[in-house]
Amino acid sequence: MISKLIDNIKKTDAPIVVGLDPQLGFVPEHILNKYYKEMGYTLEAVGEAFFEYNKGILNATADLIPAVKPQIAMYEQYGIPGIICYKKTVDLAHEKGLVVIGDIKRGDIGSTSESYAIGHIGSVTIGDNKIKPFDEDIVTVNPYLGSDGVKPFVDVCNREDKGIFVLVKTSNPSSGEFQDREIDGRPLYEVVAEKVTEWGSLSMDGDYSNVGAVVGATYPEMGIVLRKLMPKTYILVPGYGAQGGSGKDLKGYFNEDGLGAIVNSSRGIIAAYKNEKYASYGSEGYADASRKAVEDMIKDIRENAF
């Protein structure tokens, strides 16, 4: 699967991913009010509003980007209608030729971890039918439970030609409470990085592995170290834009071939119309504002990250 992501990145010359993380405060009022009027103040109304919002952003940006990353929690909080919206968003992104990175951060042991993997990047057999329940291309995985939690995902990756991004060094302020703790004189995130390389060797897809890593843009000096520890690992880089990361912070995440990393921006793109820089588009032009924000992000990375 990583080869497909790389092909999309090369085609667009844009190593970026748009995080489709809708919140009620991001969705323009004219969309919300349309569904509130039709369906009342219900979970179903929110699910439909979220999908229309996502569809507008996808229609406006799909030709510029290689992938999208919906965060499942933003949908789960609205119950079954939210999950239906999540699945419809995955399917629409696929229709537009995009790689879908499901930001699910799952991780458990044994059959439970296997079930998460099957449900999101695998398939189930019911009678004579082989069905892919969520059908994301790649998902994020929490490695805290060790190999017991990760290897079931790797097995499904190999069986279904899918991928995972394992949390190594995240962008949130308190990540250091655990991730920076020293183990035998080294920070824990370096130990995890070495395990990612080990797991990745079990699922190579050309020059890179289907087992990638999440390393936040808010810690660029650590990104340099981790890039060296994981030369064949694709890095998903959150923390760009709204969380403080910029193009100049990203140089250490890429390999000399110009590949090796894909940078995520969520609210900075999907809620761009709320930013003073793009306010002239107004709420009716939210999708056009998102397109402009994507163009600006691509320009920043091309000019400053290589």
Side-chain angles (χ1 to χ4, degrees):
M1 178 51 64
I2 198 64
S3 62
K4 180 179 179 181
L5 178 61
I6 291 171
D7 286 345
N8 277 13
I9 290 170
K10 288 180 176 178
K11 181 173 67 176
T12 58
D13 191 23
I16 73 169
V17 55
V18 173
L20 292 176
D21 305 348
Q23 299 181 35
L24 282 179
F26 294 170
V27 181
E29 288 189 6
H30 71 275
I31 295 177
L32 286 173
N33 289 336
K34 170 184 173 182
Y35 290 101
Y36 288 156
K37 183 177 180 180
E38 179 182 335
M39 309 174 80
Y41 291 93
T42 62
L43 297 174
E44 288 77 11
V46 173
E48 292 298 324
F50 276 8
F51 182 64
E52 182 171 328
Y53 175 65
N54 287 348
K55 182 164 63 173
I57 292 167
L58 283 169
N59 287 342
T61 64
D63 63 311
L64 300 176
I65 60 176
V68 292
K69 184 178 72 66
Q71 164 51 256
I72 199 168
M74 301 303 177
Y75 303 84
E76 284 180 338
Q77 66 183 317
Y78 295 100
I80 299 305
I83 290 296
I84 291 171
C85 173
Y86 179 86
K87 174 57 175 166
K88 287 165 61 178
T89 298
V90 170
D91 292 345
L92 180 60
H94 279 153
E95 289 174 16
K96 294 183 176 297
L98 300 174
V99 170
V100 178
I101 302 170
D103 196 353
I104 66 172
K105 295 185 177 70
R106 298 295 198 263
D108 212 302
I109 56 173
S111 60
T112 306
S113 201
E114 181 183 22
S115 295
Y116 279 137
I118 288 170
H120 284 277
I121 54 175
S123 57
V124 294
T125 300
I126 305 173
D128 295 329
N129 296 326
K130 185 177 181 180
I131 303 168
K132 296 181 177 182
F134 282 102
D135 198 26
E136 301 100 317
D137 300 301
I138 304 171
V139 292
T140 55
V141 174
N142 190 326
Y144 194 76
L145 279 76
S147 295
D148 291 341
V150 175
K151 283 188 176 178
F153 282 91
V154 178
D155 291 342
V156 173
C157 286
N158 289 335
R159 193 162 65 238
E160 303 279 353
D161 187 23
K162 299 283 188 170
I164 59 175
F165 282 112
V166 179
L167 305 181
V168 174
K169 178 58 182 173
T170 56
S171 58
N172 57 300
S174 66
S175 66
E177 290 178 358
F178 296 136
Q179 296 167 20
D180 295 359
R181 292 289 180 122
E182 289 197 356
I183 307 294
D184 297 328
R186 306 172 62 206
L188 178 59
Y189 61 78
E190 290 189 12
V191 178
V192 176
E194 290 182 345
K195 289 299 291 185
V196 167
T197 298
E198 178 186 320
W199 295 323
S201 68
L202 304 174
S203 187
M204 296 300 297
D205 184 15
D207 292 334
Y208 288 92
S209 171
N210 286 319
V211 180
V214 178
V215 181
T218 46
Y219 303 103
E221 70 285 350
M222 298 176 188
I224 294 171
V225 172
L226 291 168
R227 174 76 282 165
K228 292 178 181 177
L229 286 174
M230 303 182 293
K232 301 297 185 182
T233 301
Y234 236 81
I235 296 177
L236 171 62
V237 188
Y240 179 92
Q243 288 181 266
S246 63
K248 61 182 174 56
D249 298 318
L250 302 172
K251 290 184 178 181
Y253 294 79
F254 292 90
N255 282 319
E256 291 182 0
D257 58 6
L259 300 171
I262 185 166
V263 184
N264 177 76
S265 179
S266 298
R267 79 192 82 163
I269 290 175
I270 67 173
Y273 77 99
K274 288 181 169 288
N275 186 318
E276 183 179 353
K277 182 177 180 181
Y278 307 106
S280 61
Y281 288 91
S283 61
E284 294 281 348
Y286 79 95
D288 292 330
S290 294
R291 180 179 180 87
K292 178 58 177 171
V294 166
E295 291 172 341
D296 289 347
M297 180 181 177
I298 293 171
K299 182 174 185 290
D300 178 36
I301 291 174
R302 286 175 181 169
E303 293 180 353
N304 297 300
F306 300 104

